[in-house]
Amino acid sequence: MPSKGTPGMKAALLETGRSHEPFREIIDRFGLLLGRQAEARDSLEPVDLGAFAPDEDHFLSGEPLVNFLDIQLLQGPFRQAAARVWPVMGVIFPSLAESLALLERKLTDMPELLSQCLQAVAQGDGEALDSAAARVGVTSDFLLMALGVAYAPCIAAQRQALASKAPVELWRKPYCPVCGSDPDLAVLENHPEPSEFLVSKSGEIWHHCPVCTQRWRFVRMVCPGCGNQDHETLTRFTIPESPREHIYACEQCRQYLPCLDLVEQASKIDFDLAALKAVHLDAAAQARGYLPISPAPWAALGFAEEQTKAS
Ligand SMILES: [Zn+2]
Ligand SMILES: [Zn+2]
């Protein structure tokens, strides 16, 4: 958590008083944020991708599509998304409002700061992040969180155009084929092929990206955190009161990913909200000492010290 000047979201949540219904509070607040991000995404036009031509071999060996993109093409959409998302973020978490307004001003005053920020958030460039944070006068943790909430709708608006240029259906990595983010949720579901007589009762695993909203197939019995395939150290917990909700955990890397079993469910769900609605799974997993694979901000709140009824 950030230590000076800019409190993190956990502190911001706690500042408003400890709720009797911690999950309700978290779902309400982050639900507002996700709603505004979806609006921002829908309002953005896809950019001209210029010379974007991903190398298929490099892609299939694990390079997400964003690596082949001139990320500075996203400068305009990023500022537009930030203008929509940051004010709402400041209302949901009032103690962050001042730092968000400062960041907005600095981006206007120092045009070259934006290019550094995009490098930090899209390409995981730690040096660019630290340098940009120092120039703005905020912590790196705060800056990465603020950039992330504006970058998500901005890359989500380009998702289909990017994905159309590569065989994303062949991707089997644990992270997103489009933006490279770790997943926030695994889902078990059936994708019956017309040629198949028998549909597997156990279903396929599909991951969901909390940043660009892409979904992709993953492989069963592999830890998405470390690649561990030893079934004796791969654990699955089920919440007693909801047998279709699981936690996949790994004893080697001590990380977890929530999983919803939709194999026998006919109705559709909103995948972009599903991980947030399953935040009680985060609490249950963290109470057992596991760390989230998900980069979603609520997963990072740190439930281990909280009393959770799900544990
Ligand atoms: Zn993604
Ligand atoms: Zn692992």
Side-chain angles (χ1 to χ4, degrees):
M1 284 292 121
S3 52
K4 53 175 182 185
T6 50
M9 277 183 293
K10 183 180 184 188
L13 256 180
L14 290 177
E15 263 167 34
T16 61
R18 209 169 266 276
S19 166
H20 292 296
E21 290 185 274
F23 302 138
R24 173 57 45 210
E25 174 91 14
I26 289 166
I27 290 169
D28 285 351
R29 290 192 185 219
F30 286 103
L32 282 175
L33 179 62
L34 290 181
R36 180 51 72 102
Q37 285 178 311
E39 275 172 41
R41 176 194 68 209
D42 294 345
S43 75
L44 292 172
E45 296 288 331
V47 296
D48 179 349
L49 294 178
F52 176 73
D55 179 276
E56 194 169 310
D57 290 340
H58 285 179
F59 169 72
L60 288 176
S61 68
E63 276 200 57
L65 293 171
V66 73
N67 284 16
F68 304 94
L69 180 67
D70 172 7
I71 203 68
Q72 301 308 329
L73 290 172
L74 300 185
Q75 287 198 3
F78 180 87
R79 289 301 302 273
Q80 288 171 43
R84 277 179 173 257
V85 175
W86 286 347
V88 168
M89 186 85 187
V91 171
I92 305 170
F93 302 102
S95 60
L96 304 182
E98 204 178 306
S99 302
L100 288 166
L102 171 69
L103 176 55
E104 177 78 48
R105 282 200 305 280
K106 295 279 184 178
L107 283 172
T108 304
D109 295 347
M110 300 190 281
E112 71 288 3
L113 179 65
L114 178 56
S115 120
Q116 211 171 25
C117 285
L118 277 171
Q119 238 171 292
V121 71
Q123 289 156 351
D125 183 335
E127 267 178 46
L129 177 69
D130 292 342
S131 156
R135 292 171 80 186
V136 180
V138 295
T139 63
S140 296
D141 282 349
F142 167 80
L143 182 61
L144 188 59
M145 181 274 297
L147 296 176
V149 296
Y151 172 68
C154 164
I155 191 75
Q158 322 305 324
R159 179 181 67 84
Q160 281 178 324
L162 294 171
S164 71
K165 299 280 201 252
V168 285
E169 67 283 357
L170 300 179
W171 183 269
R172 293 292 181 272
K173 305 290 178 192
Y175 49 90
C176 176
V178 175
C179 74
S181 165
D182 284 321
D184 63 352
L185 185 74
V187 166
L188 277 169
E189 59 190 36
N190 276 328
H191 283 247
E193 306 248 337
S195 59
E196 286 179 27
F197 290 112
L198 292 170
V199 171
S200 160
K201 276 262 185 278
S202 48
E204 298 174 0
I205 291 207
W206 284 70
H207 280 177
H208 171 264
C209 174
V211 176
C212 75
T213 74
Q214 177 74 21
R215 298 178 70 235
W216 70 100
R217 192 174 170 188
F218 189 54
V219 277
R220 295 185 70 115
M221 296 307 288
V222 175
C223 169
C226 71
N228 174 23
Q229 298 184 35
D230 169 20
H231 63 93
E232 292 194 354
T233 51
L234 293 169
T235 315
R236 190 177 88 163
F237 301 108
T238 298
I239 305 295
E241 56 270 37
S242 48
R244 303 248 160 247
E245 299 184 334
H246 309 294
I247 296 154
Y248 289 139
C250 170
E251 302 308 332
Q252 285 196 11
C253 68
R254 300 292 295 167
Q255 296 184 92
Y256 74 90
L257 189 64
C259 175
L260 303 181
D261 181 350
L262 303 180
V263 167
E264 288 175 19
Q265 181 170 323
S267 56
K268 297 240 183 275
I269 67 162
D270 185 339
F271 290 105
D272 300 339
L273 287 175
L276 175 58
K277 288 182 175 170
V279 66
H280 55 281
L281 297 178
D282 291 284
Q286 293 181 25
R288 288 171 165 86
Y290 297 104
L291 292 169
I293 286 172
S294 168
W298 57 85
L301 287 174
F303 297 102
E305 68 266 37
E306 307 279 339
Q307 290 294 320
T308 64
K309 71 177 166 70
S311 61

